[in-house]
Amino acid sequence: MTDRLDIFRSWVRVAADRTVDRITGTKFASVSRQLLERFTQHRWRLSDEALTSAAAHADGVDSAMVSCRSGRVFVDASMSNGREVQFSLAPRSVRFAPRGAKEISFDVEPPDAYDSSIVSALAGCIAKATWPMIAPTDSFDVGGAIVERENSGRLRVDLRSVPAVRRFASTQTAAMIFDVLELESLRVEPGSLALKLKLPQLTQ
């Protein structure tokens, strides 16, 4: 097992070094550390606190509480118009295409009780965890994504619609970074939303 782990770590390091080499010398070389961090950790977790902060920054929200448990992300929020909102999200699928859509989808319960601005803000939080270079480290509000209803109980979000992602997309390194830092899966764990990143291929 130790030998396999060492081989895996070496593989990740080679992949990261090759990617960093491709952007070294550009004015965006400062993202190298963040790339290496994502490649070597391979998995990332968004705590209840981080998700709560994102939800609380959503448009029209006065206060919010987000809790991950039993395979779902539970949201309880008070809106500025006096409305109380309670709903839950269960990660359904992740679809990342080279030079194309970067979509995630959720099953929502109850189907008509969700607030799109909160779902949008949570998607922005996921986008920043996947691509930390889209915004400063201490930035909690990266803007929300466009939320679409896939069917009566399912929501679809393309992370490319997050404002911070759109702004970063205009940089010369953006296309490469979006293609090598891919989200493979989302899973709810007690107290956090776990992100698994897809490691880049070693082919030239």
Side-chain angles (χ1 to χ4, degrees):
M1 178 64 71
T2 300
D3 290 342
R4 289 184 179 180
L5 184 58
D6 288 342
I7 291 172
F8 174 77
R9 287 174 175 166
S10 176
W11 190 91
V12 171
R13 174 62 60 177
V14 170
D17 287 345
R18 287 189 180 181
T19 302
V20 169
D21 285 345
R22 292 170 61 186
I23 63 171
T24 299
T26 74
K27 65 180 179 179
F28 298 103
S30 62
V31 305
S32 300
R33 177 184 57 81
Q34 294 168 313
L35 284 169
L36 286 169
E37 184 180 58
R38 285 300 183 270
F39 287 155
T40 54
Q41 293 202 20
H42 187 41
R43 295 175 187 273
W44 207 256
R45 285 175 174 79
L46 287 169
S47 66
D48 287 350
E49 292 77 12
L51 296 169
T52 293
S53 177
H57 282 84
D59 290 339
V61 174
D62 273 348
S63 63
M65 178 69 70
V66 178
S67 175
C68 295
R69 64 185 189 276
S70 304
R72 305 187 74 89
V73 179
F74 290 86
V75 178
D76 189 338
S78 297
M79 312 302 289
S80 56
N81 62 6
R83 187 166 61 103
E84 297 294 320
V85 175
Q86 294 89 32
F87 64 94
S88 67
L89 302 169
R92 178 69 180 187
S93 66
V94 175
R95 296 186 291 268
F96 271 46
R99 310 288 172 139
K102 316 295 182 187
E103 294 181 347
I104 56 177
S105 65
F106 300 96
D107 288 337
V108 59
E109 180 66 34
D112 297 316
Y114 72 95
D115 180 82
S116 60
S117 66
I118 295 176
V119 178
S120 174
L122 294 177
C125 189
I126 292 169
K128 187 173 185 295
T130 305
W131 305 299
M133 61 288 301
I134 66 174
T137 303
D138 58 353
S139 174
F140 295 103
D141 185 8
V142 299
I146 296 173
V147 179
E148 299 179 317
R149 187 185 284 273
E150 194 167 293
N151 58 44
S152 60
R154 188 168 303 159
L155 306 175
R156 181 178 65 246
V157 182
D158 191 334
L159 298 182
R160 294 177 304 171
S161 66
V162 174
V165 173
R166 293 202 305 266
R167 288 191 295 270
F168 185 77
S170 64
T171 68
Q172 60 182 308
T173 60
M176 182 277 297
I177 288 173
F178 289 154
D179 282 344
V180 299
L181 278 181
E182 295 189 12
L183 185 61
E184 183 173 333
S185 65
L186 291 170
R187 185 180 66 185
V188 176
E189 298 180 349
S192 67
L193 180 63
L195 288 71
K196 180 180 179 183
L197 301 181
K198 183 183 297 183
L199 292 170
Q201 298 297 315
L202 291 178
T203 55
Q204 296 291 343

